[in-house]
Amino acid sequence: MLRRVVRAALVTGTLCLLTACSAVNGGVPPGSGTGGIGGAGTAAAGPGAVSVSAAASAGTAPGAADTPSTAATGTAVALLATLPVKGRAAATGYDRVGDFGTAWLDRDHDGCDTRDDVLARDLTDVERPGGCRVLSGTLVSPYTGAAIRFMRGATTSAAVQIDHVVALEDAWQTGAQQLDQEAREDLANDPGNLLAVDGPSNEQKGSGDAATWLPHVVAFRCSYVARQVAVKAAYGLWVTPAEHDAIARILATCPMQPAVRTAFSARPGGTAAGSGSGGAAVVPAPATPAAPGAPAATPAGPTPAPSFANCAAVRAAGAAPLHVGDPGYSRQLDRDGDGTACED
């Protein structure tokens, strides 16, 4: 429970804007092994593709709806300093499905699995006629800058894959063995730990951490490691000495890179995602003392939060958009699960 309280305090809220950062000279040797579960796509760029140069220079995941963090840690550098540093545990007993659940679950209960939610978030020109399954779209991979036209199909889906920014085997070896099943399933499906990317990069990365693999697009590396730091802080994981030093070297080029908080990994009362309640814990302000001799005021009852039947009602009330923690926010109104409801 303490770990969950700390995790919630660190990471409650909306996804943070991952800003552009300075170039990191040189590269790191690629990792080896196999990538995460495949998304969908083909290698050919299609009409409507996002500018490759713009995506690379911005250093943000295409389609991500992020906002600046107001976490007390402020910067990714400061958040990194809170992570324990110790050696990697053995991978003995690691089981992707047994330990982290079947890919992909519907942890935000919006009726769509995580894979389709991430594709819909990160691709443009999305065709999703049934409301869940993404049939086509365009991705500019944040890892390479390559434009990929996605067409769902048995022979094309592997061209776009969903990468766990903190690979699940790496998470297993840096503390996830100590989490319960529910928390591990949250980690595997947390939108803050997931990006739609080109298949070859995901497969090359495998289970590598920042010491063994980094995105080819140098301008995206600050954003990438900031996400890794956020996920490890959110789920009480540690970093290895080599991983810590690699992340620190990158963040030294962008010391004001904001800390990141994911909307998916915390619920009210300081409990972790999946516990059955939603939003951030609220600490009431201290009461103002009454003036000497004045009769004690009768405590007022709590003001009920507004309840909206749909986004049309939210807009009619002038309350759009709603964010996690705002009065009236609900998962039913936030269909894409990004922490912001009725934004369109």
Side-chain angles (χ1 to χ4, degrees):
M1 176 61 71
L2 179 58
R3 181 181 292 110
R4 288 187 171 193
V5 172
V6 173
R7 184 168 75 209
L10 285 170
V11 298
T12 307
T14 58
L15 291 174
C16 165
L17 176 64
L18 301 179
T19 57
C21 49
S22 305
V24 178
N25 293 328
V28 295
S32 59
T34 58
I37 304 300
T42 61
V50 179
S51 164
V52 174
S53 60
S57 62
T60 59
D66 298 339
T67 55
S69 169
T70 56
T73 47
T75 65
V77 171
L79 191 56
L80 175 64
T82 69
L83 297 182
V85 180
K86 53 185 176 179
R88 184 179 301 279
T92 305
Y94 170 71
D95 178 349
R96 163 62 174 92
V97 175
D99 297 326
F100 291 93
T102 303
W104 295 91
L105 302 176
D106 178 17
R107 296 298 281 177
D108 60 0
H109 308 296
D110 68 349
C112 305
D113 68 38
T114 303
R115 175 177 175 270
D116 280 307
D117 282 343
V118 174
L119 290 173
R121 183 196 69 187
D122 291 354
L123 274 60
T124 58
D125 302 322
V126 171
E127 292 184 21
R128 203 181 192 187
C132 276
R133 295 189 70 200
V134 176
L135 301 183
S136 65
T138 300
L139 172 73
V140 174
S141 175
Y143 291 173
T144 65
I148 304 168
R149 182 63 185 170
F150 154 60
M151 295 294 293
R152 182 184 290 271
T155 62
T156 58
S157 290
V160 171
Q161 299 180 15
I162 307 302
D163 179 45
H164 289 93
V165 178
V166 173
L168 298 185
E169 186 173 10
D170 173 61
W172 179 258
Q173 294 181 278
T174 56
Q177 297 181 38
Q178 300 168 15
L179 301 177
D180 60 28
Q181 183 70 20
E182 187 176 40
R184 289 197 297 265
E185 290 180 2
D186 283 346
L187 191 158
N189 292 273
D190 192 324
N193 191 34
L194 299 171
L195 291 174
V197 303
D198 63 290
S201 290
N202 190 41
E203 292 166 5
Q204 183 189 57
K205 170 185 172 179
S207 297
D209 60 20
T212 60
W213 190 90
L214 289 170
H216 177 74
V217 176
V218 174
F220 188 69
R221 291 179 180 177
C222 286
S223 298
Y224 176 77
V225 299
R227 281 184 182 266
Q228 291 185 321
V229 170
V231 170
K232 293 214 164 187
Y235 291 91
L237 308 181
W238 67 78
V239 289
T240 68
E243 179 186 13
H244 174 276
D245 292 349
I247 292 174
R249 282 194 298 270
I250 294 165
L251 293 179
T253 71
C254 47
M256 299 310 295
Q257 181 73 27
V260 178
R261 305 187 301 176
T262 77
F264 191 67
S265 55
R267 311 273 169 140
T271 56
S275 61
S277 54
V282 177
V283 179
T288 302
T298 302
T303 302
S307 177
F308 299 107
N310 50 46
C311 284
V314 175
R315 296 186 184 96
L322 292 172
H323 303 283
V324 172
D326 289 347
Y329 170 89
S330 70
R331 283 286 184 185
Q332 288 72 25
L333 298 174
D334 184 8
R335 297 297 297 171
D336 58 2
D338 65 352
T340 303
C342 306
E343 62 264 53
D344 296 330

